[in-house]
């Protein structure tokens, strides 16, 4: 099998996730080549990655121009390989021309502590500059501190009960009167509270909210679903309440 085939010759990974996104297609070419050279399966936006489904807020996808997906189990390997590649191909001219060359050692350490927000090239430059400065640097300790920050950043958060409550009320109201726009807004918000997640730099998925918040979100979803069923039954069969004037005002039907 050709080395540029997006699927590994020995396995067909299923859990693909967005690894990196780009503003220009040409910016991702080199990264794709490095990943595939190290037998990491890659799917590319517009070719085999499908539609962007990674992040949704209130029904509106946060879609970049271009992105690549790799198996989530390979995130850590990809991080290491890309950093190793960047360090191996850095020249002194590249380092001197980089904006980090004007950073103080303390600022460079901060870059390493926040390595998830920087590209492998930027991390490689920061490391080289720190070593060149002659500072007494414990990279192992810096990595441990960075790990602690990542763990804290991906701890599930307690959701806003006010936001959930308002979304629930909107969903129940919209379900009963069959207001599609209001119902979809409520559904999007409550789905995120119930199922929302994000991935850490190693590809591990973490829930965005605590178990209590997720359970409240799931219960709220059931309630707005029940409200929509009642609204449909009322409209089609029972006619207990007439919402036609209200529906016209909400622009559901002209």
């Amino acid at each position: 099998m050709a080395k540029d085939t997006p699927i590994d010759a020995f396995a067909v990974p299923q859990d693909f996730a967005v690894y990196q996104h780009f503003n220009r297609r040409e910016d991702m070419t080199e990264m794709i080549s490095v990943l595939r050279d190290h037998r990491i399966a890659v799917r590319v936006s517009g070719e085999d990655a499908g539609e962007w489904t990674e992040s949704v807020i209130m029904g509106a996808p946060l879609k970049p121009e271009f992105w690549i997906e790799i198996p989530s189990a390979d995130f850590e390997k990809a991080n290491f390989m890309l950093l190793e590649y960047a360090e191996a191909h850095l020249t002194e001219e590249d380092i001197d021309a980089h904006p980090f060359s004007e950073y103080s050692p303390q600022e460079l350490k901060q870059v390493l502590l926040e390595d998830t927000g920087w590209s492998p090239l930027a991390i490689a430059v920061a490391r080289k500059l720190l070593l060149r400065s002659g500072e007494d640097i414990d990279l192992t300790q810096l990595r441990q501190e960075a790990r602690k920050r990542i763990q804290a950043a991906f701890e599930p958060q307690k959701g806003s009960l006010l936001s959930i409550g308002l979304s629930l009320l909107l969903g129940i109201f919209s379900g009963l009167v069959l207001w599609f726009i209001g119902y979809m807004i409520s559904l999007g918000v409550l789905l995120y509270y119930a199922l929302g997640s994000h991935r850490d730099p190693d590809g591990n998925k973490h829930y965005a909210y605590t178990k209590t918040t997720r359970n409240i979100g799931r219960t709220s979803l059931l309630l707005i679903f029940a409200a929509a069923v009642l609204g449909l039954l009322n409209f089609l069969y029972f006619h207990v309440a007439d919402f036609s004037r209200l529906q016209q005002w909400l622009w559901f039907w002209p």
Side-chain angles (χ1 to χ4, degrees), residues 168-180 182-184 186 222-236 238-244 246-247 250 252-253:
L168 174 60
L169 291 175
L170 175 63
I172 291 174
F173 169 77
S174 302
L176 291 174
V177 304
L178 301 180
W179 182 31
F180 180 77
Y183 192 82
M184 292 307 295
S186 171
L222 290 174
L223 290 174
I224 68 169
F225 176 75
V229 171
L230 289 174
L232 282 171
L233 291 174
N234 176 69
F235 174 73
L236 296 172
F238 301 142
H239 309 294
V240 174
D242 182 9
F243 296 116
S244 57
L246 182 59
Q247 288 162 347
L250 293 171
F252 187 79
W253 285 302

Side-chain angles (χ1 to χ4, degrees), residues 95-123:
I95 296 173
D96 292 334
H98 199 279
F100 284 176
S101 61
E102 299 179 2
Y103 279 33
S104 68
Q106 201 58 38
E107 289 173 321
L108 293 172
K109 289 180 183 179
Q110 194 64 29
V111 169
L112 296 184
L113 285 173
E114 300 172 353
D115 60 353
T116 57
W118 300 96
S119 68
L121 175 61
I123 298 302

Side-chain angles (χ1 to χ4, degrees), residues 32-249:
I32 293 170
S33 176
V34 174
L35 293 173
R36 286 178 174 167
D37 284 345
H38 289 87
R39 305 190 67 76
I40 295 177
V42 180
R43 301 198 308 196
V44 184
S45 60
E47 296 178 10
D48 40 28
E51 292 296 318
W52 174 268
T53 57
E54 193 69 11
S55 300
V56 175
I57 295 178
M58 294 178 67
L62 304 175
K63 180 180 177 181
E65 286 295 320
F66 308 102
W67 68 91
I68 61 174
E69 298 176 3
I70 66 174
S72 58
D74 286 337
F75 271 45
E76 190 170 4
K77 177 183 176 182
N79 294 339
F80 177 79
M81 291 301 177
L82 290 170
L83 180 57
E84 190 177 60
Y85 177 85
E87 289 184 337
H89 290 78
L90 268 179
T91 65
E92 292 299 319
E93 290 77 14
D94 293 332
I95 296 173
D96 292 334
H98 199 279
F100 284 176
S101 61
E102 299 179 2
Y103 279 33
S104 68
Q106 201 58 38
E107 289 173 321
L108 293 172
K109 289 180 183 179
Q110 194 64 29
V111 169
L112 296 184
L113 285 173
E114 300 172 353
D115 60 353
T116 57
W118 300 96
S119 68
L121 175 61
I123 298 302
V125 170
R127 284 189 180 185
K128 295 274 189 181
L129 286 170
L130 276 172
L131 293 172
R132 182 199 284 181
S133 70
E135 289 277 325
D136 184 15
I137 303 159
D138 187 344
L139 290 178
T140 300
Q141 182 180 357
L142 285 175
R143 281 194 292 268
Q144 289 174 348
E145 290 183 26
R147 287 289 176 188
K148 289 179 181 178
R149 290 194 178 197
I150 292 171
Q151 290 174 358
F154 286 92
E155 280 290 320
Q157 303 296 310
K158 183 178 179 181
S160 168
L161 293 179
L162 176 62
S163 176
I164 295 174
L166 291 175
S167 299
L168 174 60
L169 291 175
L170 175 63
I172 291 174
F173 169 77
S174 302
L176 291 174
V177 304
L178 301 180
W179 182 31
F180 180 77
I181 295 175
Y183 192 82
M184 292 307 295
I185 292 173
S186 171
L187 181 64
V189 173
L190 294 176
L191 274 174
Y192 189 69
Y193 277 117
L195 304 172
S197 64
H198 43 196
R199 293 183 186 273
D200 64 25
D202 292 335
N204 301 312
K205 184 177 286 189
H206 302 266
Y207 282 112
Y209 294 101
T210 62
K211 184 176 181 179
T212 300
T213 298
R214 297 198 304 272
N215 288 338
I216 294 174
R218 293 189 185 102
T219 302
S220 300
L221 286 171
L222 290 174
L223 290 174
I224 68 169
F225 176 75
V229 171
L230 289 174
L232 282 171
L233 291 174
N234 176 69
F235 174 73
L236 296 172
Y237 303 108
F238 301 142
H239 309 294
V240 174
D242 182 9
F243 296 116
S244 57
R245 291 187 178 180
L246 182 59
Q247 288 162 347
Q248 289 176 359
W249 182 78

